[in-house]
Amino acid sequence: MSHQQGDDVDYVADEHEMEELDVFIDEFQDIDLDGFDSDVNERRGIDLDGFGSDVDEFLDVELSDVESYIDELQETDMNYRMKDISAVDVRSGRDIQGIPWERAIVTREIRRQRRLQEYQNYENIHQSDEKSEKECKTTKKDGLYYDFSYNASSVIPTFSHTQLRNMISATSKHDVYLLSHFSLMHWSSLTCVKTEILDLSGHVAPCEKHPESHSEGFTHTEVSTLAVNDKLLVAGGLQGELIVKYLDKPGVCFCSQPTYDDDAITTAIEIKNTVSGALHFFASNNDCGVRDFDMETFQLFNHFHLPWPVNHTSVSPDGRLLIVVGDDPEGMLVDSRNGMALSHLSGHVDYSFASAWHPDGRTFATGNQDKTCRIWDCRNLSKSVTVLKGNLGAIRSISYTSDGRFMVMAESADFVHVFYVKSGYEVEQEIDFFGEISGVSFSPDTESLFIGLRNRTFGSLLEFGRRHNYSYHDAMIWAL
C-alpha cells in the first residue's frame, strides 16, 4: 500500500469537488447576507450582489477561497449548515444528500455522467480495471432491499488514508461508531445524538497496566482503521499504533505499537472469537504482518509474516481460516493457528483492500482496485466463482449481513451495491450519491445499513433500513 494519506491527496477531492461549484453558486442565492461582515467579502474578492448570475466570473474564484468563505459563513450567527434529512423529506422529493438539483446549472443525470467519465480511480497497476472487465457478471439493478431512513448531516465521517475506508462500525440498528477528524464518535439513530468517545488530537495513555502495553501512550494519533464489537473498540493508526477502549469503562485500557517499520500503517482490524472461543483481535499492517492479540491478557498471541504488505484480513466464522489480501494481485487463504498458506487466490489484477466471509464459512469475497469484487468457494479455489464490477472506483469495503442474505460492496466514491446472495449475486440494489465513502456497516440484526460519506459540503452519515413486506406495517408508516 502506498504511504499516501487522505490529507496528502485530500481524498482525491480537490479535482472532483470543483464539480460542486455550480451547486454552490445557487446555494449562495438563498443565504440572507443582511448584517454580514462586508470586510469578509472584500478580503475574498467576491461580489455578492447578483452572486451566481455570472457563472464564468464565479468559476474563476479559487476553490480554497470558496471553502474559506463557507468556513467564515459557518462562524457567523447565520449558522450556515445542511439540515438532517428524513425519509419523509425524500418522499416529498428532496435529494437524500440535500443537493438542490432543481437550482443547479446541470441536471443530476448530466452530473452523474460527467463524474463517471472524469473520476480518477486510484490504482497501483495501470489500467487494471480494463483487464478484468471481460469476466464480470451482468447484474440486474432492480433490487430494493434497504430503504433510505435518515441523513445525519451533523455527523462528519472522515478517513486518514485514501486507500483505507473501514471507518464505520455498527453495533446495533441504532448505534454506530465512526471517525470524525481526530475524534472517535458514537451516533444514535434513536435519539439523533452524536457523542465523542475518544479525542485523539492530544495525548492518550492507558489507565490499566499490561505487560505489552505502551505505558506512555500516543500523541496526535491519525486513525487509519477501526472496529467495534459489543463493548470493545480497537483503533489502528498510521504509525502502527493500536488503541483499545472498553466502551463501558472510562479511559483507554491498552496501547501498543508492535511495529516501528517505516511503513507500519495499521490497515485493518477484526475482532473475532477464535477456535477456542476466546475473544481476539487481528491487526493487519503494511509491514507485511498479521498480528493476533488475546483480548483477555492483551498479549500478542500470534504473528504471521506475509510476502507483501497486508491491506486487509478477515477471520472465518469458525475462527480457523484467514483471508489475507494486500499489495499483490494474489490473495491467500491462511491457517489462523500457524499462518501457513493453504491456497493462493488468483484472478485480481491490482492490489486488494477488502475481504469478508459469508456466514456459511464456505464462501468469501475480496475487493480490489481493479474495480471488481470476486466471490470464492473454499471447495474449489482454482478460480473465483463470480466477478462483480463496480462503476467508478476501487472496491474498498465489503460486508455480509449476519443471516447471509445480502452482501454490501462499497466503491471508493458515489456507489454502494447491495447484492441478493441467493440470486447468485445476479440481482442488486445500487445506492447512488456523490462523495467519497469512509466505510459501510450492516447492524448485527441486519435491520440497518450505515454509509459514511466524506464531502466538504454534503458529508454525512446515511442510514438505510431493511425493507419488510408487511402491508399493515407499511400502511401505518405511511399514515404517520
Side-chain angles (χ1 to χ4, degrees):
M1 181 181 66
S2 303
H3 193 77
Q4 189 172 26
Q5 300 178 21
D7 290 338
D8 291 340
V9 294
D10 209 15
Y11 58 92
V12 203
D14 285 346
E15 57 196 278
H16 299 311
E17 290 190 341
M18 288 294 290
E19 299 173 355
E20 294 177 354
L21 288 179
D22 54 341
V23 179
F24 293 161
I25 294 169
D26 290 311
E27 282 192 312
F28 278 116
Q29 292 177 343
D30 291 338
I31 297 174
D32 180 9
L33 295 168
D34 291 341
F36 188 71
D37 184 359
S38 59
D39 290 340
V40 171
N41 310 336
E42 294 174 5
R43 288 199 303 272
R44 293 295 163 210
I46 301 176
D47 180 9
L48 293 172
D49 294 331
F51 192 85
S53 61
D54 189 339
V55 176
D56 292 334
E57 181 180 346
F58 180 77
L59 289 177
D60 289 334
V61 177
E62 292 291 337
L63 179 61
S64 59
D65 287 340
V66 176
E67 290 164 355
S68 297
Y69 181 68
I70 292 173
D71 289 340
E72 289 176 74
L73 283 176
Q74 291 173 331
E75 292 173 0
T76 68
D77 293 336
M78 289 185 296
N79 198 26
Y80 177 69
R81 60 168 61 90
M82 293 295 298
K83 294 181 179 179
D84 289 359
I85 299 166
S86 69
V88 173
D89 295 327
V90 172
R91 286 199 295 268
S92 300
R94 193 174 183 190
D95 179 78
I96 65 170
Q97 292 180 262
I99 301 176
W101 294 107
E102 70 280 2
R103 301 198 309 274
I105 295 171
V106 299
T107 64
R108 190 184 195 279
E109 291 72 23
I110 292 175
R111 172 61 62 225
R112 169 54 65 212
Q113 289 306 311
R114 288 184 185 174
R115 180 83 158 165
L116 288 169
Q117 294 168 6
E118 297 171 2
Y119 186 87
Q120 295 181 15
N121 178 44
Y122 191 97
E123 56 187 20
N124 290 96
I125 297 176
H126 185 54
Q127 295 182 331
S128 58
D129 60 323
E130 297 179 9
K131 300 172 185 176
S132 61
E133 193 164 0
K134 294 179 181 179
E135 297 181 74
C136 294
K137 177 190 287 287
T138 300
T139 60
K140 298 177 182 177
K141 299 185 178 183
D142 55 0
L144 186 53
Y145 313 120
Y146 283 80
D147 292 317
F148 172 81
S149 297
Y150 202 75
N151 178 332
S153 62
S154 62
V155 182
I156 309 299
T158 61
F159 52 86
S160 301
H161 193 290
T162 193
Q163 292 173 288
L164 303 175
R165 306 296 185 86
N166 292 298
M167 294 295 185
I168 303 291
S169 186
T171 57
S172 81
K173 64 181 179 181
H174 300 306
D175 300 282
V176 61
Y177 296 83
L178 66 146
L179 175 72
S180 183
H181 303 294
F182 279 93
S183 294
L184 296 174
M185 307 292 296
H186 167 259
W187 166 258
S188 170
S189 62
L190 189 62
T191 62
C192 294
V193 172
K194 63 178 179 179
T195 305
E196 184 178 69
I197 301 300
L198 193 60
D199 180 5
L200 297 173
S201 62
H203 181 257
V204 294
C207 56
E208 298 179 10
K209 292 183 178 180
H210 298 281
E212 297 187 22
S213 187
H214 196 297
S215 59
E216 294 82 7
F218 304 115
T219 301
H220 203 69
T221 306
E222 294 182 89
V223 175
S224 52
T225 187
L226 66 87
V228 184
N229 186 326
D230 194 20
K231 296 297 182 181
L232 180 69
L233 181 151
V234 184
L238 288 177
Q239 304 302 320
E241 305 98 327
L242 291 171
I243 298 173
V244 181
K245 175 179 174 57
Y246 282 101
L247 298 174
D248 56 351
K249 297 179 181 180
V252 169
C253 58
F254 180 71
C255 288
S256 177
Q257 191 169 6
T259 174
Y260 291 89
D261 192 272
D262 289 341
D263 289 324
I265 303 171
T266 310
T267 53
I269 299 286
E270 181 153 31
I271 306 169
K272 283 285 187 178
N273 289 103
T274 61
V275 178
S276 66
L279 188 65
H280 284 213
F281 76 85
F282 292 78
S284 305
N285 286 87
N286 207 45
D287 69 347
C288 305
V290 175
R291 294 170 174 83
D292 174 4
F293 287 85
D294 186 319
M295 290 310 305
E296 184 176 349
T297 63
F298 292 106
Q299 290 187 334
L300 183 62
F301 186 78
N302 260 324
H303 180 195
F304 308 137
H305 293 272
L306 281 295
W308 24 255
V310 179
N311 296 330
H312 200 269
T313 302
S314 292
V315 186
S316 63
D318 63 6
R320 296 179 182 275
L321 301 171
L322 303 177
I323 312 162
V324 185
V325 297
D327 283 6
D328 192 279
E330 283 195 347
M332 284 188 184
L333 190 66
V334 172
D335 189 315
S336 67
R337 295 164 294 185
N338 54 30
M340 181 180 296
L342 303 176
S343 180
H344 290 266
L345 310 173
S346 301
H348 285 299
V349 293
D350 205 324
Y351 298 169
S352 293
F353 284 83
S355 61
W357 283 91
H358 187 279
D360 65 11
R362 294 192 304 270
T363 56
F364 59 88
T366 54
N368 194 275
Q369 291 183 155
D370 62 11
K371 297 185 184 178
T372 70
C373 169
R374 288 179 179 262
I375 310 300
W376 309 81
D377 191 319
C378 285
R379 294 166 291 190
N380 182 5
L381 292 171
S382 59
K383 63 178 297 185
S384 55
V385 295
T386 301
V387 184
L388 306 171
K389 182 71 172 176
N391 297 327
L392 191 77
I395 308 305
R396 299 211 177 273
S397 188
I398 303 171
S399 183
Y400 284 93
T401 52
S402 58
D403 60 8
R405 292 189 65 189
F406 303 105
M407 183 194 81
V408 64
M409 175 183 96
E411 300 185 41
S412 53
D414 289 21
F415 291 100
V416 168
H417 310 261
V418 181
F419 292 92
Y420 183 43
V421 175
K422 290 187 177 181
S423 73
Y425 301 88
E426 291 184 356
V427 183
E428 66 164 296
Q429 174 184 358
E430 189 175 87
I431 301 174
D432 175 359
F433 45 82
F434 291 85
E436 297 284 319
I437 299 168
S438 67
V440 294
S441 181
F442 286 117
S443 60
D445 63 2
T446 79
E447 288 299 310
S448 297
L449 169 63
F450 294 96
I451 303 171
L453 175 59
R454 174 170 171 171
N455 182 287
R456 285 194 178 125
T457 305
F458 301 105
S460 62
L461 182 68
L462 300 176
E463 179 188 355
F464 290 78
R466 187 159 173 175
R467 168 170 282 214
H468 296 286
N469 295 319
Y470 303 139
S471 57
Y472 68 91
H473 185 254
D474 293 342
M476 291 177 62
I477 292 174
W478 279 97
L480 294 174

